[in-house]
């Protein structure tokens, strides 16, 4: 009877969340897969079943592959920047003085403002006439980065810099929490053994951040594959598709070209790529050095 009552309690406790998940996540996802098999303009109830025609078209779409390549480039660059800078800032945040508190406020500031504000702020910084960044570079005699959002080769790195600035605080706090979670006795033992500096970081600290690295890696994949607002507000995918990402191309197909069936196929492709990459990250960080599994 006790086990039956416990089971009933668990079912009653999980049922509301499960129902909400099925209604707001699982059902729309299934609907997206269904709509990707239809030709639909989105302005009428008429839907023409075309099977995998949308996906066949997708496999021959050069703009789709350009967008995917841009997503993957930003993901790889973000891994390097956010893991490196996030870890450095996390170490700086370990202190308890006023300097650490001030740094914490600075790195977390982008997280408390709207992404729209972030985009506008960086557009001002990049403005070739009065932008602080471009004018500062001009004052230093640098002439090659004075109109980044209008330059095909510089636009994507420029948007990526804005994204890293926006996301850094989250990853810094994530790594900071991981560092605080390392038992003090391990750090003390390492210090007694004479392990210091980079050796201590590589052999002790970095392996013990296993669970944090796993979460951070998956978040990088999810955040980059879901990137839309920042790119659309700053460049709308231009110039000449140089900053096009999967979701900006999806938006164009759905709301500018009225190709909702094809746009849904793009959404499905984006979902599958994100799931595959997130699964890869889970496999890469599957071994927990704390339990040797």
């Amino acid at each position: 009877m006790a086990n039956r009552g416990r089971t009933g309690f668990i079912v009653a406790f999980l049922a509301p969340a499960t129902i909400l998940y099925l209604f707001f996540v699982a059902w729309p996802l299934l609907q997206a897969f269904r709509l990707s098999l239809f030709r639909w303009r989105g302005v009428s109830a008429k839907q023409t079943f075309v099977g995998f025609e949308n996906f066949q078209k997708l496999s021959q779409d050069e703009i789709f592959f350009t967008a995917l390549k841009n997503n993957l480039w930003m993901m790889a660059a973000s891994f390097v920047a956010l893991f490196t800078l996030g870890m450095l800032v996390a170490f700086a945040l370990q202190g308890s003085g006023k300097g650490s508190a001030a740094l914490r406020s600075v790195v977390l500031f982008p997280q408390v403002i709207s992404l729209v504000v972030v985009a506008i702020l960086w557009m001002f910084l990049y403005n070739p006439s009065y932008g602080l960044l471009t004018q500062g570079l001009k004052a230093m005699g640098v002439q090659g980065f004075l109109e980044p959002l209008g330059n095909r080769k510089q636009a994507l790195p420029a948007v990526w810099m804005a994204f890293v600035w926006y996301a850094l605080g989250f990853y810094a706090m994530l790594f900071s929490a991981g560092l605080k979670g390392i038992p003090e006795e391990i750090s003390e033992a390492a210090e007694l053994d004479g392990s210091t500096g980079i050796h201590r970081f590589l052999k002790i600290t970095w392996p013990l951040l296993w669970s944090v690295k796993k979460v951070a890696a998956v978040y990088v994949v999810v955040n980059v594959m879901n990137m839309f607002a920042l790119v659309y507000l700053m460049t709308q995918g231009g110039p000449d598709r140089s900053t096009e990402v999967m979701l900006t191309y999806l938006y164009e197909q759905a709301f500018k070209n009225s190709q909702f069936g094809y746009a849904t196929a793009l959404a499905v492709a984006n979902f599958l790529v994100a799931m595959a990459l997130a699964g890869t990250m889970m496999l890469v960080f599957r071994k927990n050095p704390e339990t040797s599994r």
Side-chain angles (χ1 to χ4, degrees):
M1 291 295 293
N3 289 336
R4 187 177 300 175
R6 183 172 179 270
T7 302
F9 172 77
I10 294 173
V11 170
F13 188 78
L14 293 178
T18 303
I19 292 172
L20 288 174
Y21 178 84
L22 292 174
F23 187 76
F24 289 106
V25 178
W27 178 247
L29 188 61
L30 291 174
Q31 284 293 92
F33 277 96
R34 185 188 71 83
L35 286 174
S36 68
L37 303 178
F38 288 80
R39 184 185 299 117
W40 180 42
R41 296 190 62 82
V43 294
S44 68
K46 182 181 179 181
Q47 299 176 0
T48 304
F49 180 77
V50 294
F52 291 97
E53 180 182 298
N54 288 325
F55 292 98
Q56 183 179 3
K57 179 181 176 183
L58 203 63
S59 67
Q60 301 170 354
D61 191 339
E62 293 184 4
I63 301 175
F64 164 72
F65 286 105
T66 297
L68 177 59
K69 181 187 70 175
N70 290 339
N71 271 116
L72 295 178
W73 182 91
M74 292 190 73
M75 189 179 300
S78 296
F79 267 116
V80 176
L82 292 173
F83 270 64
T84 303
L85 296 176
M87 185 61 68
L88 290 173
V89 174
F91 274 111
L93 293 175
Q94 294 308 294
S96 57
K98 293 182 179 179
S100 296
L103 179 61
R104 187 178 293 108
S105 299
V106 170
V107 298
L108 286 178
F109 172 71
Q111 293 290 311
V112 299
I113 61 177
S114 168
L115 197 57
V116 175
V117 176
V118 172
I120 295 173
L121 173 63
W122 279 85
M123 289 170 69
F124 274 112
L125 289 174
Y126 288 140
N127 190 284
S129 300
Y130 50 79
L132 292 178
L133 181 59
T134 52
Q135 292 305 304
L137 292 174
K138 186 182 294 185
M140 292 187 295
V142 179
Q143 299 296 324
F145 196 71
L146 299 182
E147 196 176 355
L149 297 182
N151 186 303
R152 195 178 187 280
K153 294 182 178 180
Q154 297 173 0
L156 188 62
V159 174
W160 167 78
M161 287 173 61
F163 169 72
V164 169
W165 179 80
Y166 170 75
L168 179 59
F170 172 80
Y171 293 92
M173 296 307 296
L174 193 63
F175 284 124
S176 180
L179 291 173
K180 289 183 182 296
I182 296 177
E184 291 185 7
E185 55 268 24
I186 294 179
S187 300
E188 292 171 357
E191 188 174 348
L192 289 174
D193 288 340
S195 179
T196 58
I198 190 67
H199 180 270
R200 179 176 174 179
F201 173 77
L202 292 175
K203 298 297 182 180
I204 298 173
T205 305
W206 185 246
L208 290 177
L209 291 174
W210 169 83
S211 58
V212 174
K213 291 185 293 184
K214 189 175 185 178
V215 172
V218 172
Y219 265 102
V220 170
V221 172
V222 172
N223 288 336
V224 173
M225 293 306 297
N226 286 335
M227 187 180 297
F228 168 75
L230 190 66
V231 176
Y232 190 80
L233 289 168
M234 292 183 71
T235 64
Q236 296 190 20
D240 193 24
R241 305 282 186 181
S242 61
T243 60
E244 195 80 75
V245 291
M246 299 270 280
L247 295 189
T248 56
Y249 189 44
L250 182 157
Y251 178 86
E252 176 187 323
Q253 292 298 315
F255 297 102
K256 294 184 178 180
N257 298 340
S258 296
Q259 299 292 334
F260 276 80
Y262 188 56
T264 308
L266 277 164
V268 170
N270 186 75
F271 170 77
L272 294 177
V273 171
M275 288 294 292
L277 292 172
T280 301
M281 293 301 104
M282 298 287 283
L283 288 174
V284 169
F285 295 104
R286 71 186 183 280
K287 184 177 180 181
N288 186 348
E290 298 177 16
T291 59
S292 298
R293 294 196 299 269

